[in-house]
Amino acid sequence: MPEVGFYHLSKTPLDQALYQILNKVLFAGKRAVVRTSSEERVDFLNASLWTIDPASFLPHGTRKEGHASEQPIWITHDSDNPNQADVLVLTDGADSKCWVDYERCIEIFDGNDEVAVLAARKRWKEIKNTGSRLTYWQQKDLGGWEKKEQ
């Protein structure tokens, strides 16, 4: 069973936190699928990763650019894994029944959105019942992450 990490956003917007998390995924030599809720969110995250840090570049793509097998980061709202990713990143309430097919699953949720918090709690309970290892990370004041006890 993969490790499932819940990342509780409270200080920065999703796109900035996602950029930091994906940077760490790539630094670890892993590939990622970022699953979001709609094609509009795919477009937003894709554009954001191109512009969020002009001094850096995170290689990524979407269905519009194609060449999934060549992309270390693939952004989608579908349930496929066309780049053979090790890490699944869930955003915007996207859910996945195939998280068990990955080495690691990261769920990022907005702690300022009560609906998102309730949905994350529900998924936490569901995943906990599978026997998977769960971790909970809360954003610190300066945007970094602190692992909390469950």
Side-chain angles (χ1 to χ4, degrees), residues 10-118:
S10 59
K11 304 296 177 191
T12 59
L14 169 65
D15 57 338
Q16 290 177 11
L18 180 63
Y19 177 83
Q20 294 168 352
I21 289 169
L22 291 173
N23 229 346
K24 290 180 180 183
V25 168
L26 291 182
F27 186 75
K30 305 293 183 182
R31 297 168 78 82
V33 165
V34 177
R35 186 157 306 129
T36 192
S37 58
S38 67
E39 191 65 37
E40 293 77 23
R41 291 300 287 170
V42 169
D43 292 342
F44 170 77
L45 293 174
N46 182 32
S48 179
L49 288 181
W50 282 109
T51 60
I52 203 157
D53 184 355
S56 184
F57 170 70
L58 286 180
H60 67 280
T62 70
R63 184 182 306 149
K64 288 180 182 176
E65 290 89 19
H67 308 286
S69 63
E70 300 171 18
Q71 303 294 343
I73 298 169
W74 188 253
I75 307 168
T76 185
H77 70 282
D78 295 325
S79 60
D80 56 345
N81 183 2
N83 66 338
Q84 301 304 303
D86 313 286
V87 179
L88 173 63
V89 181
L90 300 172
T91 69
D92 298 312
D95 196 3
S96 175
K97 302 300 180 212
C98 62
W99 58 270
V100 295
D101 297 334
Y102 292 83
E103 185 178 305
R104 183 156 190 237
C105 178
I106 296 170
E107 176 154 345
I108 306 171
F109 66 97
D110 184 350
N112 299 311
D113 178 345
E114 188 59 31
V115 172
V117 171
L118 292 172

Side-chain angles (χ1 to χ4, degrees), residues 1-6 99-100 103 123-135 150:
M1 287 291 212
E3 174 187 336
V4 180
F6 282 74
W99 58 270
V100 295
E103 185 178 305
R123 282 191 294 278
W124 174 280
K125 289 176 186 175
E126 290 170 356
I127 293 170
K128 187 173 185 168
N129 289 334
T130 69
S132 238
R133 186 171 146 234
L134 292 161
T135 56
Q150 289 100 164

